[in-house]
């Protein structure tokens, strides 16, 4: 006999899916996404695309997950547990991108589907190591950008996707227009790499209106995982029912605190922090 749940049983939280690679250093990738989801009050679901061997000194090796396994993870969690929003990170190869696009279509994930889709176009590690070849970049541009509810490139990724080298805030606006023509519903150009700007002002564009997201530029070298963290906080906001503009502001708020509270770990660049969201221990 099955007992009825008690009136005090908690209800299910919203869920968000990350389709991303694993970072053995725990600073970026799916590890950053999952801890961001958790501290934003969202249950994290995972489709692992690759396993990297990395630390603060760089990416030393990696193995890619078979494309059918990546797609199978998406389909399994979407069919049983439900997905309120999804995001991508490192997708590793054109073959994996093809499989992700098909699986997301099947799960009704995408800009014109019921589940919003954040495409974080991770094309290189923070150390400059390329994360896929030219075929992967073409597949990303042609297959995922038109499916994106929000595209969230940093300035290095803007250059890879458009050929534009951005050195000013005005050029960020121009890049957002060019990227929007590639198909995403919204483009959020992240300004963390624009070190000449004393502020850190990201630009959101929907094809007609620009929204600037200002923030402080903190004097720290420890920024590993910042881009992943902002994209995953934005995804969490969408999973909780926010509009894209509200979710983008939420992501900016979250990552600003994460960078402010970043900490050293290892020999080089340490991670941004989610600890600021935790209740103090008694």
């Amino acid at each position: 006999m099955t007992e009825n749940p008690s009136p005090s049983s908690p209800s299910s939280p919203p869920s968000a899916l990350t389709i991303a690679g694993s970072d053995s250093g725990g600073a970026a990738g799916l590890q950053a996404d999952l801890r961001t989801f958790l501290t934003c009050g969202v249950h994290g679901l995972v489709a692992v695309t690759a396993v990297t061997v990395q630390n603060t000194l760089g990416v030393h090796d990696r193995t890619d997950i078979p494309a059918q396994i990546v797609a199978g993870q998406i389909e399994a969690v979407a069919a049983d547990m439900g997905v309120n929003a999804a995001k991508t990170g490192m997708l590793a190869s054109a073959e994996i991108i093809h499989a992700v696009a098909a699986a997301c279509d099947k799960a009704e994930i995408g800009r014109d589907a019921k589940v919003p889709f954040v495409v974080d176009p991770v094309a290189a590690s923070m150390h400059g190591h390329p994360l896929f070849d030219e075929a992967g970049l073409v597949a990303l541009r042609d297959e995922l950008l038109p499916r994106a509810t929000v595209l969230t490139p940093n300035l290095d990724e803007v250059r890879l996707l458009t050929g534009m080298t951005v050195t000013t805030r005005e050029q960020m606006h121009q890049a957002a227009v060019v990227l929007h023509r590639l198909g995403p519903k919204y483009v959020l150009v992240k300004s963390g790499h624009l070190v000449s700007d004393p502020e850190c002002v990201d630009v959101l564009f929907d094809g007609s209106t620009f929204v600037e997201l200002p923030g402080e530029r903190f004097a720290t070298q420890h920024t590993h995982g910042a881009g992943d963290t902002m994209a995953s906080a934005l995804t969490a906001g969408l999973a909780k029912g926010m509009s894209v503009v509200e979710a983008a502001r939420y992501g900016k708020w979250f990552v600003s605190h994460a960078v402010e509270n970043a900490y050293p770990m290892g020999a080089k660049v340490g991670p941004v922090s989610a600890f600021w969201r935790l209740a103090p221990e008694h």
Side-chain angles (χ1 to χ4, degrees), residues 19-21 28-29 33 49 54 62 87-93 97 119-126 129-132 136-137 140 144-145 151-154 156-157 160-161 190 227-228 231:
I19 308 165
D33 293 341
T49 61
Q54 67 174 290
R62 83 175 207 220
K87 74 172 291 287
T88 66
M90 173 187 171
L91 295 176
S93 70
I97 291 170
V119 175
D120 194 20
V122 179
S125 74
M126 71 172 301
H129 297 86
L131 297 176
F132 47 47
L137 187 61
L140 175 68
L144 287 195
L145 268 58
L151 175 70
T152 61
N154 63 32
D156 289 337
E157 292 153 358
L160 288 169
L161 290 168
K190 297 179 289 193
D228 297 331

Side-chain angles (χ1 to χ4, degrees), residues 154-206:
N154 63 32
L155 300 187
D156 289 337
E157 292 153 358
V158 167
R159 179 177 48 80
L160 288 169
L161 290 168
T162 68
M164 299 176 64
T165 298
V166 174
T167 58
T168 67
R169 203 180 296 178
E170 181 182 358
Q171 289 174 335
M172 288 177 61
H173 285 72
Q174 295 167 359
V177 173
V178 172
L179 287 165
H180 190 267
R181 292 174 186 153
L182 298 177
K185 191 171 183 179
Y186 287 80
V187 176
L188 176 62
V189 179
K190 297 179 289 193
S191 61
H193 293 181
L194 193 63
V195 294
S196 61
D197 193 328
E199 289 186 279
C200 196
V201 182
D202 303 329
V203 174
L204 181 69
F205 182 60
D206 67 356

Side-chain angles (χ1 to χ4, degrees), residues 72-90:
Q73 293 173 86
I74 297 169
E75 293 170 11
V77 297
D80 175 54
M81 304 171 78
V83 178
N84 296 113
K87 74 172 291 287
T88 66
M90 173 187 171

